[in-house]
Amino acid sequence: MKSLLISEDRWGPRGVIFLGLGVRVFLIFFSFFQDAYFKVKFTDIDYQVYSDAALHVLRGESAFERQTYRYTPLIAYLLVPNHVAFGAFGKAVFSNADILISILHLKLLECWE
């Protein structure tokens, strides 16, 4: 029995992936709006912690100079472009990683049929 996502329906696996990508792009832009105009922020506090640690790394300091930073320093290095390129770089990286994992899941499902 084929799953709904793998079958040759009107969406197909590629369509689902592109839909997911579109939703993530929309949510990244929406996060700017909600963070600016609403009391409850869209962006989690952990993202601010990651971004602050990236700023410390950019200055040549340790990521652990950020008082509440308890994560791998690789995340801080990965998010340095937040301060060099644009502030949503990390959101784009995390969204793309999520899409890649979704593609891997679909490939695994195809192998299992």
Side-chain angles (χ1 to χ4, degrees):
M1 182 171 154
K2 286 197 166 245
S3 78
L4 182 60
L5 294 179
I6 305 299
S7 67
E8 295 298 323
D9 62 350
R10 68 180 204 172
W11 283 96
R14 231 180 230 163
V16 172
I17 294 298
F18 281 117
L19 177 66
L21 184 61
V23 167
R24 283 161 182 79
V25 168
F26 169 77
L27 288 174
I28 288 171
F29 284 109
F30 179 75
S31 72
F32 291 120
F33 175 75
Q34 184 168 339
D35 289 348
Y37 295 105
F38 287 83
K39 189 175 183 177
V40 176
K41 304 296 181 198
F42 183 89
T43 305
D44 188 54
I45 190 68
D46 286 331
Y47 187 77
Q48 186 64 42
V49 172
Y50 297 154
S51 191
D52 287 349
L55 186 58
H56 285 287
V57 167
L58 185 62
R59 293 178 182 157
E61 304 168 355
S62 169
F64 297 103
E65 293 292 322
R66 173 64 156 94
Q67 200 169 20
T68 58
Y69 191 76
R70 296 179 190 89
Y71 313 98
T72 176
L74 294 175
I75 295 174
Y77 283 100
L78 184 67
L79 296 187
V80 165
N82 270 3
H83 302 286
V84 177
F86 67 104
F89 179 82
K91 293 177 183 183
V93 167
F94 295 141
S95 292
N96 284 326
D98 192 35
I99 292 294
L100 287 174
I101 290 169
S102 299
I103 291 169
L104 287 173
H105 283 153
L106 284 172
K107 295 293 181 189
L108 285 171
L109 286 172
E110 287 174 357
C111 289
W112 233 340
E113 289 186 340

